Amino acid sequence: MRVTGACQCGAIRYEAEVDPQAVGICHCTDCQRLTGSAYRVTALAISNSFQITAGVPRRYRKIGDSGQPSDQFFCGDCGSPLWRESADGEIGIRLGTIDQRRELKPHHQSWLGSALPSFLDIRDLERHEGS
């Protein structure tokens, strides 16, 4: 599936091919801190399809527990996290930045041992449409 996306302010734009079956949720503590949320949702870009079409992102290099680098790319203006590139070149795009995000859904979860229990099932939470 062809996708396009951008940061909140629009300074950084990209396009890529993603596998709709390769969308996942990660509950690890690194992802919680890197997103400022309970988990991260990522769509995996198909190899060599990812392309920046506008702007120059900033990079933060995180060394994982494996000892391998994980480069986190974000907008230097608005701070939006955009994608991650692993040491082997795999690119995971942050779902919230994809223009076509409504067409994608997660197919797997990982690092459930780090998951915040209250966020695993939010169906019964009070709902406020449009606010």
Side-chain angles (χ1 to χ4, degrees), residues 50-122:
F50 185 85
Q51 186 173 29
I52 298 170
T53 59
V56 178
R58 299 267 324 259
R59 180 187 75 167
Y60 165 69
R61 176 162 277 183
K62 166 82 171 89
I63 303 299
D65 290 339
S66 66
Q68 296 297 311
S70 173
D71 291 339
Q72 312 294 320
F73 291 89
F74 62 97
C75 177
D77 293 332
C78 69
S80 298
L82 295 161
W83 66 87
R84 168 195 181 267
E85 186 171 348
S86 65
D88 62 3
E90 186 177 84
I91 294 176
I93 305 169
R94 305 303 186 225
L95 185 72
T97 68
I98 296 174
D99 295 330
Q100 299 80 10
R101 61 189 167 270
R102 289 190 174 274
E103 299 171 39
L104 298 166
K105 69 177 189 170
H107 287 272
H108 65 273
Q109 298 183 71
S110 58
W111 292 95
L112 288 163
S114 303
L116 302 176
S118 58
F119 287 88
L120 292 175
D121 185 359
I122 60 172

